[in-house]
Amino acid sequence: METYLTSVIKRFEYYKALAEQTIGQVNDEGLFWQYNEESNSIAMIVQHLAGNMLSRWTDFLTSDGEKDWRNRDAEFERVITTRAELLEQWNKGWDSLFNALNSIGDDDWERDIYIRNERHSVVDAINRQLSHYPYHVGQIVFIGKMIAGANWHSLSIPKGKSGSFNSEKFKKQ
């Protein structure tokens, strides 16, 4: 399970970095931009992710992942008003996640985890979040690209550059 946990942490770190690189390319006003009233801003998505992470990963092994103190509906309202608040919430959520993952011991893998009173294995509870967070990170990246427009710097292989990228990769032994 150590190999699995190492892989999971690496994936979570990757998606965290993608979102952070996007947030870094968006001006303060852009963090709160909404396409329309029914759409979420980057700030709202960050609020939701942070709220979800704090709820799911606080006492991960011992209490239901949907905490009584969580107000999910408020995560989709304009609560955060500054970049500093956004980053503070973002980091609280991720710290909760990484602390919980790093606390899993060999004997914990056989435990049952509950999310909204639904039983999960530890692996399934982790995989549930590993599929949820990239979904929202993709939204953050998409919105960020719309806001940055021509100033966008690709987070992966830029358009039209696959051949040169692959050529460089395959030069290495």
Side-chain angles (χ1 to χ4, degrees):
M1 293 314 283
E2 185 176 325
T3 301
Y4 168 74
L5 190 56
T6 300
S7 175
V8 162
I9 291 170
K10 182 178 176 180
R11 291 296 112 212
F12 278 125
E13 288 171 341
Y14 171 75
Y15 289 109
K16 179 179 185 280
L18 280 180
E20 288 173 349
Q21 290 170 36
T22 299
I23 290 167
Q25 292 189 55
V26 174
N27 63 27
D28 289 355
E29 183 181 306
L31 296 173
F32 305 97
W33 175 83
Q34 293 173 255
Y35 177 73
N36 60 35
E37 285 298 315
E38 297 303 312
S39 300
N40 294 319
S41 66
I42 289 174
M44 288 174 181
I45 297 167
V46 167
Q47 286 173 168
H48 170 60
L49 284 169
N52 180 278
M53 289 176 191
L54 289 169
S55 185
R56 296 294 182 265
W57 300 103
T58 299
D59 303 323
F60 172 65
L61 297 169
T62 57
S63 68
D64 193 285
E66 187 63 21
K67 304 298 186 280
D68 292 340
W69 44 259
R70 182 180 184 202
N71 183 353
R72 184 183 181 280
D73 292 336
E75 294 166 12
F76 299 99
E77 297 172 7
R78 187 168 179 165
V79 177
I80 292 173
T81 59
T82 67
R83 180 181 295 269
E85 287 177 288
L86 180 143
L87 294 174
E88 181 182 345
Q89 288 302 307
W90 178 255
N91 288 321
K92 278 184 187 177
W94 286 102
D95 288 347
S96 177
L97 177 149
F98 290 122
N99 288 337
L101 291 177
N102 287 317
S103 75
I104 298 172
D106 291 340
D107 295 338
D108 293 325
W109 293 103
E110 299 304 318
R111 295 176 86 144
D112 289 331
I113 302 299
Y114 288 86
I115 301 173
R116 293 190 177 112
N117 205 33
E118 179 184 338
R119 188 169 58 93
H120 297 70
S121 67
V122 170
V123 170
D124 193 36
I126 292 169
N127 288 343
R128 177 177 170 152
Q129 301 317 109
L130 189 54
S131 61
H132 181 206
Y133 302 157
Y135 170 81
H136 290 302
V137 167
Q139 293 173 327
I140 290 170
V141 173
F142 183 74
I143 295 167
K145 286 176 78 171
M146 288 192 302
I147 293 167
N151 296 322
W152 177 256
H153 298 285
S154 178
L155 304 179
S156 61
I157 304 167
K159 284 184 180 181
K161 303 291 183 183
S162 295
S164 60
F165 180 86
N166 287 340
S167 184
E168 282 299 312
K169 285 290 188 184
F170 286 102
K171 281 182 184 177
K172 299 175 185 176
Q173 292 296 326

